[in-house]
Structures are given as C-alpha cells and as structure tokens.
Amino acid sequence: MIVIRTMQQKDIEKVMAIEQVVCEFPWTSSIYSDCIKVGYSCWVLEEKQEILGYGLLSVGAIADGLMAAAANEAHILNLCVHPDRQHQGLGRKMMQHLIQQAKNLYANSVYLEVRLSNKNAFALYTQLGFEVVGRRKDYYPAAGGREDALVLELHF
Ligand SMILES: CC(C)(COP(=O)(O)OP(=O)(O)OC[C@H]1O[C@@H](n2cnc3c(N)ncnc32)[C@H](O)[C@@H]1OP(=O)(O)O)[C@@H](O)C(=O)NCCC(=O)NCCS
C-alpha cells in the first residue's frame, strides 16, 4: 500500500537518491533539511518503507486584526517521482495531497513554477486545473544557458 507521510531528516538521503536521478540541476540535501526545519509542508510517498517520491509546499501567512495567522497563498516548491514509478498516478496523488494541505491551511491559491520544456509536469498541472498566469525569463539553469519558467496558479 502506498502512503503519504511527512518527510523527516532521516529520509533526506533517499530523497536525494531520487533527486539526483530525476533532476538535471538537483537541490542539495541542505535545502531539504532547511525546508523541514523551517516547517514547510514536506511529504514522501512510501511503499513498504521505500520512498517513491516527494512533494514540498510552503504556505504564506498574513496577519490581520482578527486572525493572527491566516494564510492565503501556497507555493509548491518541488515534486518528484522515482523514474521507475512514473506514469502510475503517483505524481497526481502527491499533487492532490499538497492541494488538500493548502486548503487545510486556509490558502485560496496554489502557485508553482515549471520549466518551459517540462511537458510531463505541465500536463499534470493543467489536468488538475492549474492555469498559466505568468512567465519568468531565465529562471532556471539549463544546459547551455538559462530557461524560462511558466508560473501556474490553481485558485480555489
Ligand atoms: C512530473 C512528475 C512528478 C509526474 O509524476 P508521475 O507520477 O509520472 O505522473 P502521473 O502518473 O501521476 O501522471 C499524471 C498526469 O501527468 C501527465 N503526465 C505524466 N507523465 C507524462 C508523460 N510522460 N507524458 C505526458 N503526460 C504526462 C499526464 O497528464 C498524466 O495523466 P494521465 O496518466 O491521465 O495521462 C514526474 O514525471 C517527475 O518526477 N518528473 C521529474 C521531476 C519534475 O519534473 N518535477 C516537476 C518539477 S515542476
């Protein structure tokens, strides 16, 4: 059975093993460690104690006179599925979980950036209702230069 549970510091080694295979420009282990430490919403997909993928979300908080910490904007920071387990619905499962977490934390929009060339991820996001709301020029490092990011939003 595949479960989604919170990512812990002890998971980072296995997370990095996936990260280094699927990402051309991988995050470092210290970035993952910091995301956990600062309290971002960090999750792993697990089956029989094997990590199959992971997703990270941050939710921005605003303060006003009535509600001490009401969040209204969430950002998906990363999403990866082990290459041997892609195209089996796991990416969608993690995205649905992250979207639900954002709703639980009173967000009314979820934003993310995706490489212009990342057709698989783009297809997943648009299938879930995300819409393109912007483009950041030269946002990502890329082989031979930089690559633009599309900014996508899912508004509840
Ligand atoms: C993007 C990623 C997370 C998708 O995970 P996944 O588990 O393979 O995706 P799913 O099986 O849940 O697919 C969900 C939908 O995504 C789209 N999709 C996924 N892989 C696709 C592919 N190879 N070609 C076209 N569409 C694809 C489809 O719309 C698919 O729906 P369908 O199965 O009904 O056609 C995975 O490919 C990955 O880890 N890529 C490398 C890291 C990355 O690019 N992360 C995103 C950074 S913004």
Side-chain angles (χ1 to χ4, degrees), residues 82-129:
H82 191 287
D84 294 345
R85 299 301 296 264
Q86 291 181 4
H87 318 307
Q88 298 173 17
L90 297 180
R92 185 187 295 114
K93 190 179 171 82
M94 178 56 86
M95 281 297 293
Q96 287 167 337
H97 177 78
L98 295 176
I99 291 165
Q100 188 56 52
Q101 291 301 312
K103 288 179 178 172
N104 292 350
L105 293 166
Y106 308 106
N108 50 34
S109 275
V110 181
Y111 292 90
L112 59 83
E113 281 96 17
V114 60
R115 282 178 187 269
L116 203 55
S117 62
N118 194 344
K119 305 294 180 211
N120 298 352
F122 184 79
L124 168 59
Y125 302 145
T126 53
Q127 203 183 59
L128 288 167

Side-chain angles (χ1 to χ4, degrees), residues 64-81:
D64 66 31
L66 295 173
M67 298 173 73
N72 68 350
E73 208 174 86
H75 291 259
I76 290 177
L77 306 173
N78 212 347
L79 169 77
C80 287
V81 172

